[in-house]
Amino acid sequence: MTPTPRAPKSRTFLSNPRTGIPTAAGAVLALVGGALLWSPAGRADAAPERAGARAGGFTAVAAGDIAERCTASSSSCVHPKTAAQVKRINPAFVLTMGDNQYDDARLKDFQKYYDTSWGAFKAKTHPVAGNHETYDPAGKLAGYKSYFGSVAYPKGKSYYSFDQGNWHFVALDSNSLDSAQTKWLKDDLAANSKKCVAAYWHHPLFSSGEHGNNPVGRPVWKLLYDAKAELVLNGHDHHYERFAPQDPDGKADPNGLVELLAGMGGANPYKIEEVQPNSEKRLTKTFGVVKLNFTDDGFSWDLVGTDGTTKDSSPSYKCH
């Protein structure tokens, strides 16, 4: 896919879209956390991390729909296995896209299950809440707030933003995308001075999975699109899916937002129901984490399975 530039700013691809482990000429092996992973020539991660990193570059890990009520003592329990990949990658920080703890996200469940695996990265995790965090008998988001504390509520709200390098990250609560939150987002984007913008929340605007498209995100998509943001990350449907750049109405647009749905952190997988326009890759029954590779002016990612191998790699994108 080769987008057409549009003045004054446009998004261009550094490599052609591909799926699976690349085998084209020019592909190289990259040493990541002691394992060899394939990367195509020209990718930000085509050399060992740090040694080949561009100034301002960093790595993050993302996933949603994580901790079932089980522990590593059960061989079928997945979230300890996805957590092991986070540890191996050793990212600058971790993004979780909601439904961090099942089923009712009570504090005692966070402490008994999530904390035994992904809790190891709590200090550098930037979470958002999913619908399961609202089911807590103690009150909506009660266990979530008690467990994460100021990590999830840095300014007393369930939504917030932070900066890393040349990137601005926006964490939203899609359980309550009301006028107050959208006004906050509009003001936050207006005040942003970073070149590149990524946003994440639980319910995806576009999904080929069992839950399907959720229009709750369309107003914030419009704000992000108008602000020339680059990337949206979601969970909710328990599969992996990446989309080509598109506008808030689902029309292909080389200057649009790239959506990454990464609900494969450990919860039972969902089926693909209806493939949506602009969906480029879908995987279900594949657990893992997304290793996000950020540079000063672009991004790409790899889906790393629980066995440490790369299950999918995105194109490389330039920021607007």
Side-chain angles (χ1 to χ4, degrees), residues 240-320:
Y240 166 87
E241 186 168 14
R242 59 176 166 88
F243 289 82
Q246 55 190 326
D247 69 14
D249 296 318
K251 296 178 181 177
D253 182 346
N255 298 308
L257 292 158
V258 173
E259 184 193 299
L260 167 58
L261 198 166
M264 64 302 124
N268 290 333
Y270 290 172
K271 296 180 293 184
I272 301 300
E273 294 281 3
E274 183 178 353
V275 176
Q276 297 300 305
N278 307 310
S279 175
E280 291 189 325
K281 181 74 174 185
R282 299 158 303 281
L283 292 172
T284 189
K285 298 183 180 179
T286 299
F287 296 104
V289 299
V290 174
K291 174 179 172 284
L292 293 152
N293 314 297
F294 295 104
T295 68
D296 271 348
D297 61 357
F299 66 100
S300 63
W301 71 81
D302 302 291
L303 172 61
V304 181
T306 54
D307 61 358
T309 64
T310 300
K311 305 300 183 182
D312 183 53
S313 294
S314 75
S316 290
Y317 302 93
K318 283 285 190 180
C319 296
H320 291 116

Side-chain angles (χ1 to χ4, degrees), residues 81-99:
K81 300 174 184 178
T82 56
Q85 296 308 315
V86 182
K87 181 179 180 180
R88 187 177 68 87
I89 294 168
N90 189 25
F93 57 86
V94 174
L95 306 176
T96 65
M97 285 86 76
D99 285 3

Side-chain angles (χ1 to χ4, degrees), residues 136-270:
D136 188 345
K140 182 180 178 180
L141 307 187
Y144 169 79
K145 184 176 182 179
S146 295
Y147 178 74
F148 284 111
S150 61
V151 173
Y153 282 73
K155 294 186 177 179
K157 303 288 186 181
S158 57
Y159 46 90
Y160 56 94
S161 63
F162 64 96
D163 295 330
Q164 179 89 11
N166 204 27
W167 280 80
H168 184 64
F169 293 88
V170 182
L172 299 174
D173 182 358
S174 58
N175 296 297
S176 56
L177 279 176
D178 54 16
S179 58
Q181 189 172 174
T182 53
K183 182 183 184 303
W184 172 88
L185 175 60
K186 185 175 181 179
D187 293 343
D188 180 82
L189 293 171
N192 170 52
S193 62
K194 300 297 183 179
K195 177 180 177 62
C196 308
V197 177
Y200 59 106
W201 61 90
H202 187 60
H203 303 85
L205 178 56
F206 304 107
S207 172
S208 301
E210 292 184 28
H211 286 305
N213 297 351
N214 193 316
V216 70
R218 183 165 285 111
V220 298
W221 257 73
K222 290 180 179 179
L223 291 173
L224 292 162
Y225 179 81
D226 290 344
K228 300 187 183 299
E230 338 299 330
L231 174 65
V232 168
L233 302 103
N234 302 119
H236 197 43
D237 263 330
H238 300 181
H239 71 278
Y240 166 87
E241 186 168 14
R242 59 176 166 88
F243 289 82
Q246 55 190 326
D247 69 14
D249 296 318
K251 296 178 181 177
D253 182 346
N255 298 308
L257 292 158
V258 173
E259 184 193 299
L260 167 58
L261 198 166
M264 64 302 124
N268 290 333
Y270 290 172

Side-chain angles (χ1 to χ4, degrees), residues 29-103:
L29 283 169
L31 182 64
V32 180
L36 290 173
L37 303 181
W38 283 102
S39 288
R43 282 287 299 276
D45 59 346
E49 290 181 38
R50 304 178 194 271
R54 297 180 57 180
F58 58 94
T59 298
V61 161
D65 307 275
I66 298 170
E68 294 278 9
R69 290 186 292 176
C70 60
T71 64
S73 61
S74 170
S75 61
S76 62
C77 191
V78 179
H79 63 92
K81 300 174 184 178
T82 56
Q85 296 308 315
V86 182
K87 181 179 180 180
R88 187 177 68 87
I89 294 168
N90 189 25
F93 57 86
V94 174
L95 306 176
T96 65
M97 285 86 76
D99 285 3
N100 306 280
Q101 177 62 58
Y102 288 87
D103 288 323

